Amino acid sequence: MFVRSLRLRDFRSWDHAEFVFAPGPTVLVGPNGHGKTNVVEAVGYLSTLSSHRVSSDAPLVRSGRTEATISATVVNAGRELTIDVEIVSGAANKARIGGSPTRRTREILGVLQTVVFAPEDLSLVRGDPGDRRRYLDEMMTARRPALAGTRADYDKVLRQRSALLKSAGGALRRASAAGRTDPEAASALSTLDVWDGHLAEYGAQLLVARAEVVHALAPHVTSAYASIARNSRPATIRYRSSLAEALPEGFFDPARAPEDGDVDLVRSAFVAELERVRRKEIERGVSLVGPHRDDLELLLGDGPAKGFASHGESWSFALALRLAPFELLRDEGTDPVLILDDVFAELDRDRRRALVDFASGVEQVLVTAAVEDDIPEVLRAHRFRIRADDGADGRISAVVGSSDGPVESARGSA
């Protein structure tokens, strides 16, 4: 799989731009702040409908505009397909496949698959559980795009149920202070049973899908880490769930293969656990169990990586967490586009060598760097140079070029 062409309009700093890529490694080199990372960010967005740099879409629309457009032609096993996304400020985004509008933006998921490694990935090891949940969910939807809808449904139910918990808690406190019963509280509690069922239904599907991802990824993570940090302790991953005590022992062991009936088992355990913690949830006004409370545990030897891994070990683990999904997707029949966003300056010699060895066998690699000498020579087959000069009108006039000379002019905001 590779991206043949990419077109941007009002995306980040770009007024408009067009790039024609080829298989193999391609380097985008230029000064920091001049738009090279925005280019690979756009490619990654078409793959996951999210940015690896920010948590919301608002910063992706160029200042002063109301929408941004990303369009790419993807080649997979000789078949070309063009996908487009319009990112709209304050409204629902829109998408097209082959020029035809989709009912939902997420229908483009699966057309383009990417694996992005960037300095932000250090947060997978050192950051909050939300970073690692997002990592699992991106891998989950890459393998089974339909689960993006399940995740959206779960998030919607979670928000509505949390609002109901707060409403019920407030009504009960007011009734208790007044020494009487409150019809509002009784109504909220009866409605809560319905939302519990919805939360358990969608949550069970998400939890089992995440467990399946961990089962599939675990050997690849261990292998990738061993190849990068040969003298370090072995690396392993394990799913840590808020429902673990309500399920059979060993259910989340990464060596355990998925089984028929897992979703039904988790759904029943989820409902029972919600009943058990209901009083606490009403008191606190939050949902205390479910996939939104879970984590991916990273282990070096017998201990946690977070808080105990050295700087080098943390980088090695972060890199392994990106190379592992690539190998898994490749084993399942797809060679994703590998994006290396400004990472070579962060890596020591041994980790650079390991990454180069891996990238050399990938169908398409997109690399960004501020200094071309940071990029190993073997990855410089195709080069785009972004040279930007401030224009008198407060915008940036840029010329994008390659080793053969300028290929495209573009404009972006200052």
Side-chain angles (χ1 to χ4, degrees):
M1 175 179 292
F2 67 94
V3 176
R4 182 183 299 282
S5 63
L6 176 72
R7 293 164 294 281
L8 307 176
R9 181 169 294 278
D10 293 327
F11 181 83
R12 288 284 198 177
S13 60
W14 293 101
D15 179 316
H16 65 273
E18 183 169 351
F19 300 85
V20 178
F21 296 122
T26 295
V27 174
L28 294 95
V29 63
N32 289 328
H34 286 199
K36 61 186 182 298
T37 288
N38 300 345
V39 176
V40 295
E41 181 184 24
V43 175
Y45 187 92
L46 288 176
S47 174
T48 63
L49 294 178
S50 62
S51 164
H52 70 279
R53 303 163 70 194
V54 293
S55 59
S56 70
D57 287 352
L60 306 182
V61 179
R62 191 165 67 89
S63 178
R65 301 297 182 182
T66 58
E67 63 182 48
T69 303
I70 311 170
S71 178
T73 298
V74 181
V75 181
N76 188 9
R79 178 175 176 242
E80 287 194 3
L81 191 60
T82 298
I83 53 176
D84 307 82
V85 170
E86 291 180 15
I87 304 169
V88 185
S89 297
N93 295 342
K94 304 174 185 177
R96 290 182 296 274
I97 299 177
S100 300
T102 62
R103 289 194 306 130
R104 297 181 180 88
T105 308
R106 60 176 179 263
E107 290 177 26
I108 72 167
L109 293 173
V111 175
L112 171 63
Q113 292 187 335
T114 64
V115 171
V116 181
F117 181 49
E120 291 85 354
D121 285 331
L122 205 56
S123 67
L124 290 175
V125 182
R126 296 181 171 178
D128 296 331
D131 295 318
R132 292 179 287 277
R133 289 194 296 267
R134 180 182 176 187
Y135 165 82
L136 287 179
D137 289 347
E138 287 181 353
M139 189 63 206
M140 174 187 75
T141 54
R143 301 174 79 208
R144 295 168 56 191
L147 285 169
T150 305
R151 185 177 63 177
D153 289 336
Y154 180 84
D155 290 341
K156 181 179 179 180
V157 170
L158 180 65
R159 289 192 299 270
Q160 293 173 322
R161 184 177 183 274
S162 296
L164 186 61
L165 286 171
K166 293 178 182 178
S167 174
L172 286 172
R173 284 189 291 272
R174 289 191 299 271
S176 176
R180 57 177 173 79
T181 59
D182 189 321
E184 179 185 348
S187 175
L189 290 174
S190 64
T191 306
L192 195 55
D193 290 333
V194 177
W195 289 112
D196 284 359
H198 292 321
L199 195 73
E201 176 65 32
Y202 298 128
Q205 295 176 53
L206 287 184
L207 196 150
V208 170
R210 285 182 183 174
E212 290 175 350
V213 166
V214 172
H215 170 73
L217 278 179
H220 292 291
V221 171
T222 299
S223 176
Y225 186 86
S227 69
I228 298 164
R230 294 181 175 85
N231 297 321
S232 181
R233 296 161 289 171
T236 54
I237 59 174
R238 183 170 61 203
Y239 193 75
R240 188 170 67 195
S241 174
S242 54
L243 293 172
E245 293 184 3
L247 289 164
E249 185 177 357
F251 185 88
F252 293 106
D253 188 325
R256 176 187 179 274
E259 298 178 5
D260 292 339
D262 278 356
V263 171
D264 293 335
L265 179 64
V266 173
R267 185 191 302 110
S268 298
F270 204 157
V271 170
E273 194 68 4
L274 289 173
E275 292 176 355
R276 188 184 70 83
V277 301
R278 175 170 289 191
R279 182 180 295 274
K280 290 182 179 179
E281 289 189 324
I282 292 173
E283 290 174 353
R284 301 183 188 182
V286 294
S287 297
L288 296 175
V289 294
H292 63 287
R293 307 281 292 192
D294 296 351
D295 196 1
L296 177 66
E297 193 170 11
L298 312 181
L299 302 169
L300 282 177
D302 295 327
K306 184 177 180 180
F308 295 92
S310 68
H311 184 71
E313 288 174 329
S314 296
W315 266 114
S316 295
F317 216 138
L319 182 53
L321 287 172
R322 288 308 183 188
L323 299 187
F326 191 99
E327 291 287 20
L328 177 58
L329 291 172
R330 174 183 275 175
D331 287 349
E332 294 177 344
T334 299
D335 206 358
V337 176
L338 180 62
I339 297 174
L340 305 176
D341 182 20
D342 204 20
V343 295
F344 281 100
E346 303 284 348
L347 302 177
D348 61 23
R349 182 183 61 184
D350 291 341
R351 291 175 180 82
R352 282 190 184 195
R353 184 183 301 116
L355 187 54
V356 168
D357 290 344
F358 182 88
S360 298
V362 175
E363 185 172 4
Q364 186 176 53
V365 188
L366 302 179
V367 189
T368 68
V371 179
E372 188 170 350
D373 288 345
D374 286 340
I375 307 299
E377 184 64 36
V378 69
L379 296 181
R380 301 186 207 171
H382 307 283
R383 280 169 286 185
F384 288 84
R385 301 181 186 278
I386 298 178
R387 301 185 297 273
D389 299 307
D390 289 338
D393 58 358
R395 296 148 69 92
I396 294 175
S397 296
V399 175
V400 181
S402 70
S403 55
D404 297 324
V407 295
E408 182 67 39
S409 63
R411 293 176 65 84
S413 64

